[in-house]
Amino acid sequence: VIGTSPDFPPFESLNANGGVEGIEIEIMELICADLGVELVIKQMDFDSVLPGVQAGKYDVGMSGITINAKRQKNADFTQPYFLASQAIVVKSDSPITCKADLEGKKVSVQTATTAEEYCMANGYQVSAFQANNDACSALLSGKVDAWVVDNEVALDLSAQTDGATKVLDEAMTSEPYGFAFAKGSDSLVAEIDKLLDKWLADGTIEALFDKYDVPFVSPKG
């Protein structure tokens, strides 16, 4: 059973039939096929994914989850399959051109994300929202000066604002994505790591990123 948030295009998003599709969904389909298990997807808000895994409600958590020391205290993670970045989105006519320009400005983020953690830890004025669509709307309505979000989501949702927003060239942070498991899942994580190693080496994962028109940044360097 996989716990995921559909509010993370193109890694997870709702399709026309109400199901979830995306890059991580397809990676997990490959994993389940190789392990010979059925894939069952449970949709929820992002801030419920990791707690659900920790409580044993779901076997795996995914939704562009960054691997960091704080999260590793409460969950086991696979090796990274992708190196992501946190992007800065502003209105197209904004005077903000780089990270330094955010000093003293208000930023929107999604609740329980590393974007929220980073911005709060570094003294930004933060407005947090359950969904990235709401964080984007806060920028469009002028409630905040910028929106900080994973780069791929930034590009996808910013493209839907008809030129009202733009993604800055300078990223806020760089961070690795992985899949989360309950503590004590060492043997299962090791088995999945072998699969990720193989698919990173033979181009399988990169091909999935190409399918969704997302530039692939390998965690292997």
Side-chain angles (χ1 to χ4, degrees):
V1 179
I2 313 299
T4 186
S5 168
D7 183 42
F8 199 76
F11 289 79
E12 283 95 20
S13 56
L14 293 176
N15 59 31
N17 298 318
V20 184
E21 62 184 11
I23 296 169
E24 285 191 326
I25 299 298
E26 296 207 28
I27 294 175
M28 192 54 62
E29 286 175 344
L30 291 175
I31 291 172
C32 289
D34 195 279
L35 298 179
V37 297
E38 180 185 1
L39 175 63
V40 179
I41 299 172
K42 299 292 185 181
Q43 302 172 30
M44 67 208 67
D45 290 332
F46 180 82
D47 59 359
S48 298
V49 175
L50 283 176
V53 171
Q54 294 162 15
K57 293 181 179 179
Y58 322 112
D59 301 296
V60 187
M62 64 183 193
S63 188
I65 300 177
T66 298
I67 305 168
N68 59 29
K70 179 180 178 181
R71 288 172 174 169
Q72 286 176 314
K73 291 179 181 178
N74 300 305
D76 288 343
F77 283 87
T78 63
Q79 66 165 300
Y81 70 86
F82 176 64
L83 189 61
S85 60
Q86 291 289 336
I88 302 167
V89 186
V90 297
K91 284 188 175 182
S92 296
D93 59 356
S94 173
I96 298 172
T97 61
C98 62
K99 182 177 176 179
D101 292 340
L102 289 178
E103 184 175 353
K105 300 295 192 296
K106 295 179 181 179
V107 301
S108 62
V109 297
Q110 185 180 30
T111 303
T113 60
T114 51
E116 181 184 38
E117 292 178 13
Y118 180 88
C119 290
M120 292 185 69
N122 286 274
Y124 296 102
Q125 299 180 51
V126 177
S127 293
F129 299 87
Q130 286 287 338
N132 273 313
N133 283 322
D134 296 329
C136 181
S137 295
L139 172 62
L140 290 170
S141 65
K143 293 179 180 178
V144 298
D145 303 291
W147 167 38
V148 180
V149 61
D150 295 74
N151 186 66
E152 287 65 39
V153 179
L155 293 171
D156 187 87
L157 294 185
S158 181
Q160 298 177 33
T161 64
D162 297 322
T165 64
K166 62 183 178 182
V167 181
L168 300 187
D169 291 334
E170 182 181 9
M172 184 70 100
T173 64
S174 181
E175 48 198 41
Y177 283 176
F179 301 115
F181 294 78
K183 275 293 188 182
S185 302
D186 307 66
S187 59
L188 177 57
V189 168
E191 192 170 358
I192 292 174
D193 277 347
K194 291 179 182 178
L195 296 175
L196 294 177
D197 267 332
K198 179 177 70 173
W199 295 332
L200 285 168
D202 68 12
T204 298
I205 290 179
E206 184 174 2
L208 288 177
F209 278 77
D210 289 342
K211 176 181 176 179
Y212 287 87
D213 295 320
V214 177
F216 178 67
V217 181
S218 174
K220 299 294 188 179

